[in-house]
Amino acid sequence: MKELKYLIVCLIITLQSCNGQATAKREIYNEDFGWKITIPENFENVSAEDWTKMQNKGSDAIEKTFEGEIINQAKTIFVFKSDQLNYFESNYQPFDVSIDGDYLESCKNVNEVLLETFKTQMPNAKIDTTKSVEKIDNLEFQTFKMKIEYPNKMILNVLMYSRLFNKREFTVNIMYVDNKKGQMMTEAWKKSRFTQQ
């Protein structure tokens, strides 16, 4: 099965909580993309060990749905959470159009796999999706949003932003049930800046 983006994480954020260290508002700079972002205060850093466990659960869910193997080449930039169901994550992975094919087609395929996995794993949830192109610091990002309403009326929002920087795909994922925390993460993302174009 063609490798998927790191987006599999949103499949499993409801399954476990991770222990982390609460942080004050702090600025992160990523040299690879010349990216500067300020993480909202009271978000905890999720350890690499706990994040790997969560990724594995997400991969298992997709593999069970599609009966194929997930190859994850993504490198984590950061993962933060607030409470158990509000996550802010960024990563990148190699993507070469001469090997991996058309990028927009790949985004479409990943979105379809993610949606189908949710439908299969959570058949009683109501799922609404939208896709668009949004500009962050004047750069275009492919955007996929899901609103998942569980039978208990809890609503999980998943926002995924992706774009190519040369031969690397850069992704930001925002997942939340608390609308205020979702707004904090979204505002932080939209105010972030890139020096590499």
Side-chain angles (χ1 to χ4, degrees):
M1 178 179 198
K2 182 164 174 57
E3 66 191 37
L4 293 177
K5 297 181 199 176
Y6 221 45
L7 309 180
I8 57 177
V9 65
C10 60
L11 291 170
I12 41 72
I13 66 173
T14 58
L15 300 179
Q16 72 179 52
S17 66
C18 301
N19 296 321
Q21 183 64 45
T23 61
K25 184 186 285 189
R26 71 180 205 184
E27 193 172 272
I28 290 179
Y29 178 75
N30 178 269
E31 241 177 66
D32 292 321
F33 300 96
W35 180 43
K36 186 187 292 184
I37 185 168
T38 302
I39 304 299
E41 53 188 286
N42 297 321
F43 275 73
E44 302 171 1
N45 189 33
V46 177
S47 75
E49 182 182 350
D50 285 337
W51 192 241
T52 299
K53 289 177 188 173
M54 293 178 73
Q55 287 178 293
N56 290 340
K57 287 184 180 182
S59 295
D60 289 345
I62 292 175
E63 289 175 353
K64 284 176 185 171
T65 302
F66 289 92
E67 297 180 357
E69 184 181 352
I70 299 296
I71 300 169
N72 184 0
Q73 295 181 301
K75 305 291 182 198
T76 303
I77 296 173
F78 65 71
V79 186
F80 288 92
K81 77 177 188 95
S82 180
D83 300 324
Q84 291 185 16
L85 300 174
N86 305 287
Y87 281 79
F88 200 4
E89 183 264 346
S90 180
N91 69 80
Y92 67 92
Q93 70 175 353
F95 192 101
D96 185 338
V97 294
S98 66
I99 298 167
D100 300 308
D102 182 76
Y103 180 63
L104 296 182
E105 188 65 26
S106 173
C107 288
K108 179 184 172 191
N109 293 339
V110 168
N111 295 344
E112 288 172 0
V113 167
L114 189 62
L115 178 59
E116 190 58 37
T117 302
F118 262 102
K119 285 180 176 178
T120 302
Q121 299 296 320
M122 301 172 200
N124 297 320
K126 179 184 173 189
I127 305 171
D128 292 319
T129 65
T130 57
K131 65 178 186 172
S132 62
V133 176
E134 291 188 31
K135 284 194 175 182
I136 307 296
D137 195 22
N138 220 28
L139 297 173
E140 288 188 351
F141 284 81
Q142 300 302 311
T143 305
F144 184 64
K145 298 180 181 181
M146 291 195 298
K147 182 178 180 182
I148 302 150
E149 184 176 344
Y150 294 89
N152 66 1
K153 302 302 180 191
M154 182 183 82
I155 294 174
L156 172 65
N157 296 278
V158 180
L159 315 178
M160 299 172 284
Y161 301 84
S162 302
R163 71 168 277 121
L164 282 183
F165 285 89
N166 298 315
K167 292 184 179 180
R168 290 180 297 184
E169 179 185 42
F170 171 90
T171 302
V172 168
N173 297 307
I174 297 169
M175 296 151 279
Y176 64 92
V177 295
D178 183 317
N179 288 330
K180 184 178 178 185
K181 289 174 182 175
Q183 184 178 3
M184 290 167 66
M185 291 185 281
T186 303
E187 284 179 2
W189 162 232
K190 290 185 174 181
K191 289 179 181 175
S192 69
R193 293 292 173 258
F194 292 86
T195 57
Q196 192 180 114
Q197 303 293 316

